[in-house]
Amino acid sequence: MGSFLNPGTIEFEEALNSEIYIDKSGLIEITNAVLRTQQKFMCISRPRRFGKSMAANMLSAYYDRSVNSEHLFRHLRIHGIPSFQEHLNQYDVIKINMQDFLSSTHSVHEMLKKLQKYLIFDLQEQYPHVRLRDETDFVQVMKDVFSYTKCPFIILIDEWDCLFREYREDKEAQRQYLDFLRNWLKDKSYIALAYMTGILPIKKYGTHSALNMFTEYSMTDPGDLAEFFGFTESEVATLCQKYSMNFDEAKAWYNGYQLISHSKASDHAYSMYSPKSVVESMLRHKFGPYWNQTETYEALKVYIQMNMDGLKDSIIEMLAGSNVPVNTETFSNDMTTFASKDDVLTLLVHLGYLTYHSTTESVAIPNREVSKEYVNAISTMDWPEVIRSIQASRELLNALWRQNSDAVAAGIDQAHQEISILQYNDENSLSCTISLAFYFAREYYTIVRELPSGKGFADLCFLPRKSHIDKPAAVIELKWEQSAEGAIEQIRRQQYIQSLKDYHGNLLRTHSRHHRLQPSGRNTVPRRHSLGKHQIRGGRRNPHL
């Protein structure tokens, strides 16, 4: 057993010994299926703290032929899979964390030299009787060892993209690094599996990738690995039950990464959660922002303040709960090449600050935890109007609860006056404005736009989460040049109350109306709102109130 060659099972055992361990061993079934095939090159990119290293440690413990690790997998999902015994402890494993080598050197040349020296050392120590043609030529040493053992290698590279994150502007260093990886891995018969993990997909140069033999699994296209990109909803629900934590709160804080897994049988949509955040909240028995504790909001601020191509407008729309269209195909898979706002938004998807909806080709802020990072970043930027609107949202919500229609109208009007991007040219824009004006409502509510209910769609529904059932629900109907009475009648006629069939308590119904554009080009919100309060019992409005 060496430091990098066949490193054993210690790191995987630590994961198994932890109080919370979620079984992701089904990944092994997928890697077994591609061993020694044209698909044996896999590059998995996901955000920080999403379980990349744990997966690499698991694969290492499973394939490493210097140990017998069957007992570690006895109670895991993979143990009952037919290919389990066939490939268990049958390969020489090389596992490296590229960040370790980069951090301990001062140039890419020095890093690669050190890496090859250390790997050659392990190979010679493990196989001292192998005659080497050139013990200074790393690739040739790999060939000679394989020729002697007839046992191919499993190559596991964690943090493969660290050089692109730290040497962002050094194109020559990046090319040198990619050339090394291509020379080491491509078209080599000694490779049974090359599995790389990182935050970024493989860097593109021109019209092709320097490592075009890899199949990529990313936050924009996870392939058939979606369920391994974090914790699934059912896994989180089980943890919430075990630790007596409110599942609705867990969803509000950490849900939102929508990934679609593509397989031969069918496509399956997963709602994925940040593992780091879920584990911390369960162990601490408190919901909070845990995922980004190791990095300040400055990392996010660098990108959202670029404001190229209307980026600021898109960020404001997403803070209001909207999805923004995006083209992910122009992204160069680095942290410096941005031709448009789409490239910035795509990078934020890979960093975990946005979620990508492949069916609509749009992005959104995934959850409350990440939304707080945007607010933290914006609070230190030259976006005072956005911060004022968010800060005022607390009082606006209180006005809604007090059924103060004048204060609600004034608050929404102020939000529109402050944020010029949210123009009243259609109901969608008004809905966006109201959502941002009520930003603080997310502390208590799940806010749903265009919620199917009864015979139509309620424009905005504020649904209290179970831990805040004392708060009244609210149905907001938006109308263009129509009366408040007409909107309230539509709520009754279309049976929007059916959207609250599982809710018991008070209901606030409100109407917001807007006029045509004024000659100045700005819209105004007439202070004509209607607020009514009803009692919901068993999903029905009490006819006596």
PDB file of all heavy atoms in Angstrom, residues 18-46:
ATOM      1  N   SER A  18     -18.878   7.949  10.156  1.00  0.00           N
ATOM      2  CA  SER A  18     -19.501   9.215  10.514  1.00  0.00           C
ATOM      3  C   SER A  18     -20.955   8.988  10.929  1.00  0.00           C
ATOM      4  O   SER A  18     -21.601   8.020  10.517  1.00  0.00           O
ATOM      5  CB  SER A  18     -19.448  10.195   9.338  1.00  0.00           C
ATOM      6  OG  SER A  18     -18.101  10.463   8.981  1.00  0.00           O
ATOM      7  N   GLU A  19     -21.471   9.915  11.746  1.00  0.00           N
ATOM      8  CA  GLU A  19     -22.845   9.765  12.231  1.00  0.00           C
ATOM      9  C   GLU A  19     -23.839   9.744  11.085  1.00  0.00           C
ATOM     10  O   GLU A  19     -24.832   9.013  11.116  1.00  0.00           O
ATOM     11  CB  GLU A  19     -23.187  10.892  13.205  1.00  0.00           C
ATOM     12  CG  GLU A  19     -24.596  10.785  13.778  1.00  0.00           C
ATOM     13  CD  GLU A  19     -24.873  11.788  14.876  1.00  0.00           C
ATOM     14  OE1 GLU A  19     -23.914  12.264  15.512  1.00  0.00           O
ATOM     15  OE2 GLU A  19     -26.055  12.097  15.103  1.00  0.00           O
ATOM     16  N   ILE A  20     -23.597  10.565  10.071  1.00  0.00           N
ATOM     17  CA  ILE A  20     -24.478  10.579   8.901  1.00  0.00           C
ATOM     18  C   ILE A  20     -23.697  10.092   7.691  1.00  0.00           C
ATOM     19  O   ILE A  20     -22.691  10.679   7.307  1.00  0.00           O
ATOM     20  CB  ILE A  20     -25.035  11.986   8.633  1.00  0.00           C
ATOM     21  CG1 ILE A  20     -25.970  12.417   9.771  1.00  0.00           C
ATOM     22  CG2 ILE A  20     -25.799  12.017   7.303  1.00  0.00           C
ATOM     23  CD1 ILE A  20     -26.538  13.805   9.604  1.00  0.00           C
ATOM     24  N   TYR A  21     -24.143   9.004   7.119  1.00  0.00           N
ATOM     25  CA  TYR A  21     -23.568   8.499   5.872  1.00  0.00           C
ATOM     26  C   TYR A  21     -24.720   8.118   4.955  1.00  0.00           C
ATOM     27  O   TYR A  21     -25.594   7.330   5.326  1.00  0.00           O
ATOM     28  CB  TYR A  21     -22.676   7.282   6.111  1.00  0.00           C
ATOM     29  CG  TYR A  21     -22.227   6.649   4.807  1.00  0.00           C
ATOM     30  CD1 TYR A  21     -21.217   7.224   4.050  1.00  0.00           C
ATOM     31  CD2 TYR A  21     -22.852   5.495   4.323  1.00  0.00           C
ATOM     32  CE1 TYR A  21     -20.834   6.673   2.837  1.00  0.00           C
ATOM     33  CE2 TYR A  21     -22.469   4.938   3.113  1.00  0.00           C
ATOM     34  CZ  TYR A  21     -21.465   5.535   2.380  1.00  0.00           C
ATOM     35  OH  TYR A  21     -21.084   4.984   1.166  1.00  0.00           O
ATOM     36  N   ILE A  22     -24.733   8.683   3.771  1.00  0.00           N
ATOM     37  CA  ILE A  22     -25.754   8.365   2.772  1.00  0.00           C
ATOM     38  C   ILE A  22     -25.129   7.440   1.726  1.00  0.00           C
ATOM     39  O   ILE A  22     -24.093   7.757   1.143  1.00  0.00           O
ATOM     40  CB  ILE A  22     -26.295   9.638   2.098  1.00  0.00           C
ATOM     41  CG1 ILE A  22     -26.943  10.555   3.133  1.00  0.00           C
ATOM     42  CG2 ILE A  22     -27.303   9.274   1.010  1.00  0.00           C
ATOM     43  CD1 ILE A  22     -28.153   9.961   3.829  1.00  0.00           C
ATOM     44  N   ASP A  23     -25.757   6.318   1.513  1.00  0.00           N
ATOM     45  CA  ASP A  23     -25.246   5.295   0.608  1.00  0.00           C
ATOM     46  C   ASP A  23     -25.322   5.756  -0.852  1.00  0.00           C
ATOM     47  O   ASP A  23     -26.408   5.890  -1.409  1.00  0.00           O
ATOM     48  CB  ASP A  23     -26.059   4.020   0.806  1.00  0.00           C
ATOM     49  CG  ASP A  23     -25.573   2.860  -0.068  1.00  0.00           C
ATOM     50  OD1 ASP A  23     -24.575   3.030  -0.788  1.00  0.00           O
ATOM     51  OD2 ASP A  23     -26.212   1.785  -0.021  1.00  0.00           O
ATOM     52  N   LYS A  24     -24.171   6.007  -1.449  1.00  0.00           N
ATOM     53  CA  LYS A  24     -24.086   6.367  -2.865  1.00  0.00           C
ATOM     54  C   LYS A  24     -23.315   5.298  -3.646  1.00  0.00           C
ATOM     55  O   LYS A  24     -22.761   5.563  -4.709  1.00  0.00           O
ATOM     56  CB  LYS A  24     -23.392   7.721  -3.016  1.00  0.00           C
ATOM     57  CG  LYS A  24     -24.178   8.886  -2.427  1.00  0.00           C
ATOM     58  CD  LYS A  24     -25.480   9.141  -3.181  1.00  0.00           C
ATOM     59  CE  LYS A  24     -26.249  10.313  -2.617  1.00  0.00           C
ATOM     60  NZ  LYS A  24     -27.498  10.584  -3.355  1.00  0.00           N
ATOM     61  N   SER A  25     -23.304   4.081  -3.102  1.00  0.00           N
ATOM     62  CA  SER A  25     -22.511   3.028  -3.739  1.00  0.00           C
ATOM     63  C   SER A  25     -23.085   2.583  -5.078  1.00  0.00           C
ATOM     64  O   SER A  25     -22.416   1.859  -5.828  1.00  0.00           O
ATOM     65  CB  SER A  25     -22.393   1.820  -2.800  1.00  0.00           C
ATOM     66  OG  SER A  25     -23.667   1.237  -2.555  1.00  0.00           O
ATOM     67  N   GLY A  26     -24.311   3.014  -5.403  1.00  0.00           N
ATOM     68  CA  GLY A  26     -24.849   2.702  -6.726  1.00  0.00           C
ATOM     69  C   GLY A  26     -23.991   3.259  -7.843  1.00  0.00           C
ATOM     70  O   GLY A  26     -24.062   2.784  -8.981  1.00  0.00           O
ATOM     71  N   LEU A  27     -23.168   4.262  -7.541  1.00  0.00           N
ATOM     72  CA  LEU A  27     -22.236   4.803  -8.532  1.00  0.00           C
ATOM     73  C   LEU A  27     -21.301   3.724  -9.054  1.00  0.00           C
ATOM     74  O   LEU A  27     -20.903   3.740 -10.229  1.00  0.00           O
ATOM     75  CB  LEU A  27     -21.429   5.946  -7.893  1.00  0.00           C
ATOM     76  CG  LEU A  27     -20.301   6.549  -8.713  1.00  0.00           C
ATOM     77  CD1 LEU A  27     -20.832   7.222  -9.969  1.00  0.00           C
ATOM     78  CD2 LEU A  27     -19.500   7.551  -7.877  1.00  0.00           C
ATOM     79  N   ILE A  28     -20.945   2.782  -8.201  1.00  0.00           N
ATOM     80  CA  ILE A  28     -20.001   1.726  -8.590  1.00  0.00           C
ATOM     81  C   ILE A  28     -20.568   0.866  -9.711  1.00  0.00           C
ATOM     82  O   ILE A  28     -19.839   0.414 -10.602  1.00  0.00           O
ATOM     83  CB  ILE A  28     -19.624   0.859  -7.370  1.00  0.00           C
ATOM     84  CG1 ILE A  28     -18.913   1.718  -6.322  1.00  0.00           C
ATOM     85  CG2 ILE A  28     -18.757  -0.321  -7.773  1.00  0.00           C
ATOM     86  CD1 ILE A  28     -18.645   1.007  -5.019  1.00  0.00           C
ATOM     87  N   GLU A  29     -21.869   0.647  -9.693  1.00  0.00           N
ATOM     88  CA  GLU A  29     -22.490  -0.138 -10.759  1.00  0.00           C
ATOM     89  C   GLU A  29     -22.282   0.540 -12.115  1.00  0.00           C
ATOM     90  O   GLU A  29     -22.045  -0.125 -13.132  1.00  0.00           O
ATOM     91  CB  GLU A  29     -23.980  -0.313 -10.481  1.00  0.00           C
ATOM     92  CG  GLU A  29     -24.701  -1.144 -11.525  1.00  0.00           C
ATOM     93  CD  GLU A  29     -26.179  -1.305 -11.231  1.00  0.00           C
ATOM     94  OE1 GLU A  29     -26.698  -0.582 -10.358  1.00  0.00           O
ATOM     95  OE2 GLU A  29     -26.825  -2.153 -11.888  1.00  0.00           O
ATOM     96  N   ILE A  30     -22.339   1.866 -12.115  1.00  0.00           N
ATOM     97  CA  ILE A  30     -22.159   2.616 -13.354  1.00  0.00           C
ATOM     98  C   ILE A  30     -20.704   2.591 -13.802  1.00  0.00           C
ATOM     99  O   ILE A  30     -20.414   2.396 -14.994  1.00  0.00           O
ATOM    100  CB  ILE A  30     -22.658   4.061 -13.176  1.00  0.00           C
ATOM    101  CG1 ILE A  30     -24.165   4.065 -12.915  1.00  0.00           C
ATOM    102  CG2 ILE A  30     -22.323   4.915 -14.394  1.00  0.00           C
ATOM    103  CD1 ILE A  30     -24.751   5.414 -12.613  1.00  0.00           C
ATOM    104  N   THR A  31     -19.769   2.774 -12.879  1.00  0.00           N
ATOM    105  CA  THR A  31     -18.355   2.725 -13.267  1.00  0.00           C
ATOM    106  C   THR A  31     -17.946   1.313 -13.691  1.00  0.00           C
ATOM    107  O   THR A  31     -17.141   1.156 -14.614  1.00  0.00           O
ATOM    108  CB  THR A  31     -17.454   3.226 -12.121  1.00  0.00           C
ATOM    109  OG1 THR A  31     -17.669   2.449 -10.940  1.00  0.00           O
ATOM    110  CG2 THR A  31     -17.721   4.681 -11.810  1.00  0.00           C
ATOM    111  N   ASN A  32     -18.502   0.296 -13.047  1.00  0.00           N
ATOM    112  CA  ASN A  32     -18.202  -1.081 -13.466  1.00  0.00           C
ATOM    113  C   ASN A  32     -18.623  -1.321 -14.912  1.00  0.00           C
ATOM    114  O   ASN A  32     -17.962  -2.046 -15.653  1.00  0.00           O
ATOM    115  CB  ASN A  32     -18.920  -2.083 -12.555  1.00  0.00           C
ATOM    116  CG  ASN A  32     -18.206  -2.298 -11.232  1.00  0.00           C
ATOM    117  OD1 ASN A  32     -17.062  -1.871 -11.053  1.00  0.00           O
ATOM    118  ND2 ASN A  32     -18.877  -2.953 -10.298  1.00  0.00           N
ATOM    119  N   ALA A  33     -19.725  -0.710 -15.310  1.00  0.00           N
ATOM    120  CA  ALA A  33     -20.268  -0.939 -16.654  1.00  0.00           C
ATOM    121  C   ALA A  33     -19.381  -0.360 -17.756  1.00  0.00           C
ATOM    122  O   ALA A  33     -19.477  -0.790 -18.916  1.00  0.00           O
ATOM    123  CB  ALA A  33     -21.674  -0.348 -16.756  1.00  0.00           C
ATOM    124  N   VAL A  34     -18.516   0.605 -17.414  1.00  0.00           N
ATOM    125  CA  VAL A  34     -17.685   1.231 -18.449  1.00  0.00           C
ATOM    126  C   VAL A  34     -16.227   0.817 -18.367  1.00  0.00           C
ATOM    127  O   VAL A  34     -15.402   1.264 -19.167  1.00  0.00           O
ATOM    128  CB  VAL A  34     -17.788   2.773 -18.375  1.00  0.00           C
ATOM    129  CG1 VAL A  34     -19.231   3.217 -18.562  1.00  0.00           C
ATOM    130  CG2 VAL A  34     -17.216   3.320 -17.072  1.00  0.00           C
ATOM    131  N   LEU A  35     -15.864  -0.042 -17.430  1.00  0.00           N
ATOM    132  CA  LEU A  35     -14.467  -0.480 -17.300  1.00  0.00           C
ATOM    133  C   LEU A  35     -13.968  -1.080 -18.606  1.00  0.00           C
ATOM    134  O   LEU A  35     -14.625  -1.917 -19.222  1.00  0.00           O
ATOM    135  CB  LEU A  35     -14.338  -1.513 -16.181  1.00  0.00           C
ATOM    136  CG  LEU A  35     -14.514  -1.004 -14.747  1.00  0.00           C
ATOM    137  CD1 LEU A  35     -14.537  -2.174 -13.771  1.00  0.00           C
ATOM    138  CD2 LEU A  35     -13.400  -0.031 -14.368  1.00  0.00           C
ATOM    139  N   ARG A  36     -12.799  -0.601 -19.028  1.00  0.00           N
ATOM    140  CA  ARG A  36     -12.117  -1.115 -20.212  1.00  0.00           C
ATOM    141  C   ARG A  36     -13.005  -1.049 -21.461  1.00  0.00           C
ATOM    142  O   ARG A  36     -12.992  -1.951 -22.313  1.00  0.00           O
ATOM    143  CB  ARG A  36     -11.602  -2.535 -19.978  1.00  0.00           C
ATOM    144  CG  ARG A  36     -10.762  -2.704 -18.736  1.00  0.00           C
ATOM    145  CD  ARG A  36      -9.827  -3.876 -18.800  1.00  0.00           C
ATOM    146  NE  ARG A  36      -8.719  -3.618 -19.726  1.00  0.00           N
ATOM    147  CZ  ARG A  36      -7.704  -4.466 -19.941  1.00  0.00           C
ATOM    148  NH1 ARG A  36      -7.652  -5.617 -19.282  1.00  0.00           N
ATOM    149  NH2 ARG A  36      -6.757  -4.179 -20.790  1.00  0.00           N
ATOM    150  N   THR A  37     -13.774   0.025 -21.565  1.00  0.00           N
ATOM    151  CA  THR A  37     -14.579   0.297 -22.762  1.00  0.00           C
ATOM    152  C   THR A  37     -14.185   1.670 -23.291  1.00  0.00           C
ATOM    153  O   THR A  37     -13.388   2.384 -22.688  1.00  0.00           O
ATOM    154  CB  THR A  37     -16.091   0.281 -22.451  1.00  0.00           C
ATOM    155  OG1 THR A  37     -16.417   1.450 -21.670  1.00  0.00           O
ATOM    156  CG2 THR A  37     -16.486  -0.973 -21.686  1.00  0.00           C
ATOM    157  N   GLN A  38     -14.802   2.067 -24.393  1.00  0.00           N
ATOM    158  CA  GLN A  38     -14.551   3.399 -24.944  1.00  0.00           C
ATOM    159  C   GLN A  38     -15.101   4.503 -24.032  1.00  0.00           C
ATOM    160  O   GLN A  38     -14.738   5.659 -24.173  1.00  0.00           O
ATOM    161  CB  GLN A  38     -15.198   3.513 -26.333  1.00  0.00           C
ATOM    162  CG  GLN A  38     -14.550   2.627 -27.390  1.00  0.00           C
ATOM    163  CD  GLN A  38     -13.140   3.068 -27.724  1.00  0.00           C
ATOM    164  OE1 GLN A  38     -12.870   4.250 -27.913  1.00  0.00           O
ATOM    165  NE2 GLN A  38     -12.225   2.109 -27.800  1.00  0.00           N
ATOM    166  N   GLN A  39     -15.968   4.129 -23.104  1.00  0.00           N
ATOM    167  CA  GLN A  39     -16.576   5.093 -22.186  1.00  0.00           C
ATOM    168  C   GLN A  39     -15.895   5.125 -20.815  1.00  0.00           C
ATOM    169  O   GLN A  39     -16.439   5.623 -19.847  1.00  0.00           O
ATOM    170  CB  GLN A  39     -18.066   4.769 -21.999  1.00  0.00           C
ATOM    171  CG  GLN A  39     -18.918   5.049 -23.219  1.00  0.00           C
ATOM    172  CD  GLN A  39     -18.676   4.048 -24.345  1.00  0.00           C
ATOM    173  OE1 GLN A  39     -18.634   2.842 -24.114  1.00  0.00           O
ATOM    174  NE2 GLN A  39     -18.499   4.550 -25.558  1.00  0.00           N
ATOM    175  N   LYS A  40     -14.678   4.618 -20.753  1.00  0.00           N
ATOM    176  CA  LYS A  40     -13.979   4.495 -19.464  1.00  0.00           C
ATOM    177  C   LYS A  40     -13.435   5.821 -18.938  1.00  0.00           C
ATOM    178  O   LYS A  40     -12.870   5.866 -17.846  1.00  0.00           O
ATOM    179  CB  LYS A  40     -12.829   3.503 -19.597  1.00  0.00           C
ATOM    180  CG  LYS A  40     -11.732   3.944 -20.573  1.00  0.00           C
ATOM    181  CD  LYS A  40     -10.683   2.847 -20.732  1.00  0.00           C
ATOM    182  CE  LYS A  40      -9.615   3.242 -21.756  1.00  0.00           C
ATOM    183  NZ  LYS A  40      -8.615   2.175 -21.938  1.00  0.00           N
ATOM    184  N   PHE A  41     -13.596   6.897 -19.676  1.00  0.00           N
ATOM    185  CA  PHE A  41     -13.125   8.215 -19.245  1.00  0.00           C
ATOM    186  C   PHE A  41     -14.316   9.034 -18.755  1.00  0.00           C
ATOM    187  O   PHE A  41     -15.215   9.365 -19.542  1.00  0.00           O
ATOM    188  CB  PHE A  41     -12.413   8.942 -20.383  1.00  0.00           C
ATOM    189  CG  PHE A  41     -11.193   8.223 -20.888  1.00  0.00           C
ATOM    190  CD1 PHE A  41     -11.262   7.412 -22.025  1.00  0.00           C
ATOM    191  CD2 PHE A  41      -9.979   8.336 -20.236  1.00  0.00           C
ATOM    192  CE1 PHE A  41     -10.144   6.748 -22.492  1.00  0.00           C
ATOM    193  CE2 PHE A  41      -8.850   7.678 -20.698  1.00  0.00           C
ATOM    194  CZ  PHE A  41      -8.932   6.873 -21.814  1.00  0.00           C
ATOM    195  N   MET A  42     -14.327   9.370 -17.474  1.00  0.00           N
ATOM    196  CA  MET A  42     -15.454  10.078 -16.865  1.00  0.00           C
ATOM    197  C   MET A  42     -14.945  11.330 -16.145  1.00  0.00           C
ATOM    198  O   MET A  42     -14.020  11.262 -15.344  1.00  0.00           O
ATOM    199  CB  MET A  42     -16.179   9.176 -15.855  1.00  0.00           C
ATOM    200  CG  MET A  42     -16.657   7.861 -16.430  1.00  0.00           C
ATOM    201  SD  MET A  42     -17.381   6.769 -15.168  1.00  0.00           S
ATOM    202  CE  MET A  42     -18.863   7.688 -14.745  1.00  0.00           C
ATOM    203  N   CYS A  43     -15.563  12.473 -16.455  1.00  0.00           N
ATOM    204  CA  CYS A  43     -15.231  13.720 -15.764  1.00  0.00           C
ATOM    205  C   CYS A  43     -16.498  14.233 -15.081  1.00  0.00           C
ATOM    206  O   CYS A  43     -17.476  14.573 -15.750  1.00  0.00           O
ATOM    207  CB  CYS A  43     -14.699  14.770 -16.736  1.00  0.00           C
ATOM    208  SG  CYS A  43     -14.206  16.315 -15.926  1.00  0.00           S
ATOM    209  N   ILE A  44     -16.474  14.265 -13.757  1.00  0.00           N
ATOM    210  CA  ILE A  44     -17.637  14.649 -12.965  1.00  0.00           C
ATOM    211  C   ILE A  44     -17.380  16.013 -12.343  1.00  0.00           C
ATOM    212  O   ILE A  44     -16.441  16.187 -11.558  1.00  0.00           O
ATOM    213  CB  ILE A  44     -17.929  13.607 -11.859  1.00  0.00           C
ATOM    214  CG1 ILE A  44     -18.472  12.311 -12.467  1.00  0.00           C
ATOM    215  CG2 ILE A  44     -18.946  14.157 -10.857  1.00  0.00           C
ATOM    216  CD1 ILE A  44     -17.442  11.408 -13.063  1.00  0.00           C
ATOM    217  N   SER A  45     -18.195  17.001 -12.704  1.00  0.00           N
ATOM    218  CA  SER A  45     -18.020  18.345 -12.150  1.00  0.00           C
ATOM    219  C   SER A  45     -19.265  18.743 -11.368  1.00  0.00           C
ATOM    220  O   SER A  45     -20.378  18.645 -11.875  1.00  0.00           O
ATOM    221  CB  SER A  45     -17.740  19.365 -13.264  1.00  0.00           C
ATOM    222  OG  SER A  45     -18.761  19.356 -14.233  1.00  0.00           O
ATOM    223  N   ARG A  46     -19.047  19.159 -10.134  1.00  0.00           N
ATOM    224  CA  ARG A  46     -20.128  19.666  -9.281  1.00  0.00           C
ATOM    225  C   ARG A  46     -19.551  20.661  -8.291  1.00  0.00           C
ATOM    226  O   ARG A  46     -18.336  20.734  -8.116  1.00  0.00           O
ATOM    227  CB  ARG A  46     -20.877  18.545  -8.578  1.00  0.00           C
ATOM    228  CG  ARG A  46     -20.088  17.289  -8.277  1.00  0.00           C
ATOM    229  CD  ARG A  46     -20.934  16.259  -7.570  1.00  0.00           C
ATOM    230  NE  ARG A  46     -20.454  14.901  -7.783  1.00  0.00           N
ATOM    231  CZ  ARG A  46     -20.634  13.901  -6.947  1.00  0.00           C
ATOM    232  NH1 ARG A  46     -21.275  14.114  -5.815  1.00  0.00           N
ATOM    233  NH2 ARG A  46     -20.194  12.696  -7.194  1.00  0.00           N
TER     234      ARG A  46
END
